[in-house]
Amino acid sequence: MSAAGEWCLIESDPSVFTELIKGFGATGLQVHELYSLDDESLLTMRRAGPPGTVLDSAPMLPVHGLIFLFRWHKEEKPAGTLVSDNRLEKMFFASQVITNACATQALLSVLLNTAHEDVHLGEKLSDFKELTASFDPTMKGLSLSNMEFIRQIHNSFARQTLMEFDPTSHQKEEEPFHFVAYVPIDGRIYELDGLKEGPLDLGKITGGDWMQDVRPILQKRMESFMGNEIRFNLMSISSDRSKYVLERMERLGTLEPTLADDTKVAQLQHELEECSRVLDSEETLKHHHKAECIRHTHNYMPMIMEILKVLARKGELGPMVDEAKERLSKKRKSEAQKPGS
């Protein structure tokens, strides 16, 4: 696998992926982390506003794709049927030829296969999609590896490490974690994994909601890890909730002059207040995503070194180190004396 310039590892964090989308220039989307696939959790994630009283209940947010992180196993059996016909010409699937780029590749697999009025890719991603439309998966992967714009955005989310570790140390090498995407395209569900030969067709969407069909597929895959691995993560890429709440508030505003019943007016005012509360919550969440990314990627080492220098000048660093060593020694002795140690 080619390095194509260095690509950093990226955390499976909704804050990081939200800011990645913004960095690429795409709009109209937001990222949710899914802790459960039960009905209540999916409803909470997808409800586009507060429950309605004056208007019908709030609609469900369209989910454009899922990103799944898991520990990669070479011998894992494919869950679906390999796509090798002309459907490949109608979707974006790129072979992964870049080390450490699977997070961005999974995200782009969702973005570049989304055709929804809520989603705007932006100029650069739209140009890249158009440029690579006729390419085969290998050429799409190579084109991605040479997109300096995408690589720079990807690497801007590198997490700072405080220490450098010796790469020649003989530690047991663990299998890496890997990101893949699940997307609905033309009435079918596909798994897009750049390490596989092509897209995997997971079956037809039987109802109007593809999430109901992909849920058992994901649950089965997660259960297959339960014996020896519990570290996996699932995120959804959906339309931006704020847009739907604002549209609902506009509809409520046009209704107010037509209501003669004081009870209905009070209900409308309450619903407007609830919508405003949801908007405030969404705005707070966006600020949180941005702050989390800054916290994750900021280099704290200069600050730490300055603190250590000040402590050393005051003669306080040595005693603090000795005290820490003593606490560690007592802890180890206590643990060694426990039954079964």
Side-chain angles (χ1 to χ4, degrees):
M1 198 176 291
S2 168
E6 293 299 322
W7 292 67
C8 70
L9 290 170
I10 282 185
E11 291 182 81
S12 182
D13 185 292
S15 298
V16 172
F17 278 73
T18 296
E19 293 301 308
L20 261 178
I21 290 171
K22 286 172 62 178
F24 291 148
T27 58
L29 295 157
Q30 68 182 119
V31 184
H32 306 266
E33 187 166 12
L34 295 174
Y35 299 102
S36 172
L37 289 171
D38 61 44
D39 289 337
E40 184 177 352
S41 297
L42 292 180
L43 179 62
T44 301
M45 180 271 289
R46 298 187 66 188
R47 185 185 286 124
T53 51
V54 178
L55 292 174
D56 295 334
S57 296
M60 294 293 102
L61 291 176
V63 178
H64 308 295
L66 300 170
I67 294 177
F68 184 53
L69 173 73
F70 63 99
R71 190 178 288 282
W72 182 79
H73 298 285
K74 187 175 182 179
E75 67 277 4
E76 188 182 13
K77 294 177 67 175
T81 305
L82 185 68
V83 176
S84 57
D85 54 26
N86 61 1
R87 284 178 290 173
L88 271 174
E89 300 170 6
K90 302 175 183 178
M91 67 175 75
F92 179 87
F93 176 80
S95 298
Q96 186 177 331
V97 299
I98 320 161
T99 304
N100 295 340
C102 57
T104 284
Q105 190 146 337
L107 178 57
L108 291 177
S109 292
V110 175
L111 299 183
L112 299 182
N113 283 299
T114 299
H116 193 281
E117 61 182 4
D118 292 344
V119 181
H120 303 281
L121 293 178
E123 182 180 354
K124 291 187 177 180
L125 285 187
S126 295
D127 288 347
F128 177 72
K129 182 178 180 179
E130 184 178 353
L131 171 70
T132 60
S134 61
F135 293 178
D136 64 26
T138 302
M139 282 300 297
K140 283 177 179 172
L142 289 170
S143 299
L144 177 58
S145 74
N146 286 286
M147 276 289 289
E148 186 63 18
F149 160 72
I150 291 176
R151 188 180 75 86
Q152 286 180 356
I153 298 297
H154 174 102
N155 284 342
S156 70
F157 294 94
R159 185 157 195 168
Q160 296 293 328
T161 55
L162 299 182
M163 301 293 177
E164 292 292 334
F165 293 95
D166 182 4
T168 62
S169 62
H170 299 290
Q171 295 182 348
K172 182 180 177 183
E173 190 171 328
E174 293 187 337
E175 291 166 320
F177 284 91
H178 184 54
F179 291 89
V180 300
Y182 292 86
V183 293
I185 302 174
D186 292 337
R188 303 190 72 82
I189 300 171
Y190 295 92
E191 177 189 326
L192 304 182
D193 179 354
L195 294 181
K196 289 189 168 66
E197 188 179 343
L200 294 179
D201 183 349
L202 303 179
K204 186 178 180 181
I205 300 173
T206 57
D209 183 7
W210 77 283
M211 289 290 289
Q212 297 302 319
D213 291 295
V214 78
R215 176 162 57 177
I217 296 170
L218 286 165
Q219 287 173 329
K220 183 178 179 180
R221 188 163 193 181
M222 290 177 182
E223 288 166 3
S224 71
F225 295 116
M226 288 302 187
N228 52 17
E229 181 60 66
I230 59 170
R231 290 174 293 177
F232 42 76
N233 180 267
L234 182 65
M235 294 180 290
S236 68
I237 313 294
S238 71
S239 292
D240 186 359
R241 180 178 283 112
S242 298
K243 170 181 177 291
Y244 284 78
V245 177
L246 284 169
E247 289 175 352
R248 190 175 185 83
M249 292 178 76
E250 288 177 6
R251 289 178 62 199
L252 288 167
T254 60
L255 281 176
E256 187 168 11
T258 68
L259 298 176
D261 187 338
D262 289 344
T263 302
K264 284 290 185 183
V265 172
Q267 289 175 341
L268 183 143
Q269 289 297 330
H270 175 72
E271 195 164 334
L272 280 170
E273 289 170 5
E274 286 297 298
C275 286
S276 181
R277 182 186 60 78
V278 172
L279 278 180
D280 289 342
S281 177
E282 289 297 304
E283 193 63 28
T284 299
L285 182 62
K286 289 172 183 176
H287 286 301
H288 169 76
H289 285 323
K290 188 169 185 178
E292 278 294 292
C293 280
I294 294 171
R295 185 177 66 82
H296 283 197
T297 58
H298 183 71
N299 183 7
Y300 291 92
M301 183 56 79
M303 180 188 72
I304 293 170
M305 292 304 298
E306 286 302 314
I307 291 172
L308 292 175
K309 287 177 184 178
V310 171
L311 290 172
R313 283 198 298 267
K314 291 182 176 181
E316 298 175 6
L317 183 59
M320 290 174 69
V321 172
D322 292 338
E323 183 182 345
K325 287 179 178 179
E326 186 178 348
R327 284 202 306 267
L328 180 60
S329 177
K330 287 180 180 179
K331 181 180 178 182
R332 285 175 175 171
K333 286 179 182 178
S334 176
E335 290 175 348
Q337 292 170 358
K338 289 180 181 178
S341 299

